[in-house]
């Protein structure tokens, strides 16, 4: 697979290890949508391994979100913080309102927001899906994320705790490689719209206040991919801990130079932050951003 960096990672590697002091998430509270399975669960594991004080995972299935939090706590016996699961349907704004109101009542201020849960519509041309199915992708992949980002940002204004904030957006290579999502053009359109939305929000948000980075997590064999019929043989799958560890790097001050941009978790962070690539990133405000090809 073509890579921007010479090194193309399929597994975690030392430069993004949660044990690095520079990537420590100590004292941070992290909120992860869709954290009970797949990539979200691996991201929760990485933040806990990097010593976050509180990791909150969200999902619609109450039993699963609570059992996932307990399972992860049991996986990390040395972890001194807390991992909690909260049922929340992020496509339902009243459910999201209750969540943030409860967090406020409990005095919880979120420092890192991970936008991970997504909706993947049925396969088929957009004009054959029907508006409701098309819109379900927009509700999750655009509106729900905007709802969360707005509340996260307002909480920051209401209860400043002096800590720099981060938003990590789980995007996909399908926002630029339209062929990869093949039969699901609507997924591509809505993930692209969601990534552009975050890019535009980043444009008007100083990185010192909220650092915003979108990334493709690699190809991970998750529950969601199994649900659409994929299995071990369908793709050269990557290790789920690659996006997990990459997420903590993306939330760290090390990654501030990527504010508002889109990268792949497979790309080597040392090559991104140094040399020619770093020079291009620093000098070209449109590089690694959503736009129109050829102009
Ligand atoms: N897997 C890949 O290879 C791949 C590649 C490129 C990009 N991505 C992106 O990576 C992210 C995660 O993908 P994944 O494969 O791990 O997804 P997944 O297996 O489908 O997991 C989604 C998680 O989100 C939760 N969820 C779904 N709808 C929700 C809602 N309305 N409210 C709250 N939680 C909800 C699910 O739990 P409940 O059902 O209990 O709610 C589940 O825990 C997505 O943004 C996807 O677009 C994945």
């Amino acid at each position: 697979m073509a890579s921007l960096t010479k090194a193309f990672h399929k597994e975690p590697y030392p430069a993004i290890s949660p044990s690095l002091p520079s990537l420590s998430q100590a004292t941070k509270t992290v909120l992860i949508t869709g954290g009970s399975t797949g990539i979200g669960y691996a991201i929760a594991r990485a933040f806990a391994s990097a010593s976050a004080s509180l990791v909150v995972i969200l999902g619609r299935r109450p039993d699963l979100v609570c059992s996932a939090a307990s399972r992860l706590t049991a996986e990390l016996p040395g972890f001194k913080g807390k991992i909690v699961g909260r049922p929340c349907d992020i496509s339902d704004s009243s459910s999201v309102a209750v969540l943030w109101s409860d967090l406020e009542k409990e005095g919880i201020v979120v420092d890192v927001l991970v936008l991970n849960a997504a909706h993947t519509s049925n396969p088929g041309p957009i004009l054959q899906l029907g508006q409701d199915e098309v819109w379900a992708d927009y509700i999750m992949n655009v509106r729900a994320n905007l709802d969360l980002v707005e509340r996260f940002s307002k909480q920051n204004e209401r209860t400043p705790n002096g800590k720099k904030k981060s938003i990590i957006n789980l995007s996909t290579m399908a926002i630029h490689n339209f062929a990869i999502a093949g039969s699901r053009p609507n997924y591509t359109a809505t993930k692209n719209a969601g990534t552009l939305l975050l890019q535009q929000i980043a444009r008007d948000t100083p990185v010192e206040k909220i650092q915003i980075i979108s990334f493709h997590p690699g190809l991970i064999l998750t529950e969601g991919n199994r649900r659409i019929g994929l299995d071990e043989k369908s793709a050269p799958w990557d290790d789920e801990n690659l996006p997990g560890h990459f997420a903590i790097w993306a939330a760290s001050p090390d990654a501030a130079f990527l504010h508002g941009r889109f990268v792949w978790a497979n790309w080597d962070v040392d090559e991104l932050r140094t040399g020619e690539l770093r020079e291009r990133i620093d000098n070209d405000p449109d590089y690694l951003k959503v736009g129109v090809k050829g102009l």
Side-chain angles (χ1 to χ4, degrees), residues 112-265:
V112 182
L113 173 64
V114 182
L115 303 169
N116 169 71
H119 188 266
T120 309
S121 57
N122 292 328
I126 291 172
L127 291 181
Q128 286 174 21
L129 288 178
Q131 278 184 29
D132 288 348
E133 182 67 7
V134 169
W135 211 244
D137 274 2
Y138 277 96
I139 287 174
M140 271 296 280
N141 303 343
V142 184
R143 198 206 68 194
N145 285 346
L146 173 62
D147 190 4
L148 289 155
V149 170
E150 273 181 3
R151 291 177 187 281
F152 175 69
S153 154
K154 282 184 189 142
Q155 151 223 249
N156 199 22
E157 283 156 23
R158 207 174 39 242
T159 338
N161 65 0
K163 290 183 215 162
K164 179 179 162 178
K165 304 287 186 279
S166 293
I167 297 174
I168 303 300
N169 176 37
L170 272 289
S171 185
T172 165
M173 68 188 286
I175 69 161
H176 59 90
N177 181 342
F178 298 151
I180 192 91
S183 58
R184 289 187 164 76
N186 196 53
Y187 172 73
T188 297
T190 56
K191 293 293 280 189
N192 188 302
T195 305
L196 178 56
L197 179 81
L198 269 289
Q199 180 181 305
Q200 295 294 72
I201 292 171
R203 195 193 70 144
D204 298 323
T205 308
V207 67
E208 299 75 26
K209 197 173 156 207
I210 309 179
Q211 178 169 312
I212 303 174
I213 293 174
S214 294
F215 73 85
H216 164 66
L219 297 175
I220 314 295
L221 183 54
T222 58
E223 184 189 87
N225 275 336
R226 286 188 190 278
R227 208 170 34 240
I228 60 170
L230 304 181
D231 63 19
E232 281 74 7
K233 297 197 188 93
S234 310
W237 300 110
D238 300 319
D239 185 326
E240 66 176 14
N241 290 310
L242 174 67
H245 291 193
F246 192 87
I248 55 158
W249 179 78
S252 78
D254 261 21
F257 68 99
L258 291 175
H259 181 56
R261 303 192 198 239
F262 163 88
V263 289
W264 288 28

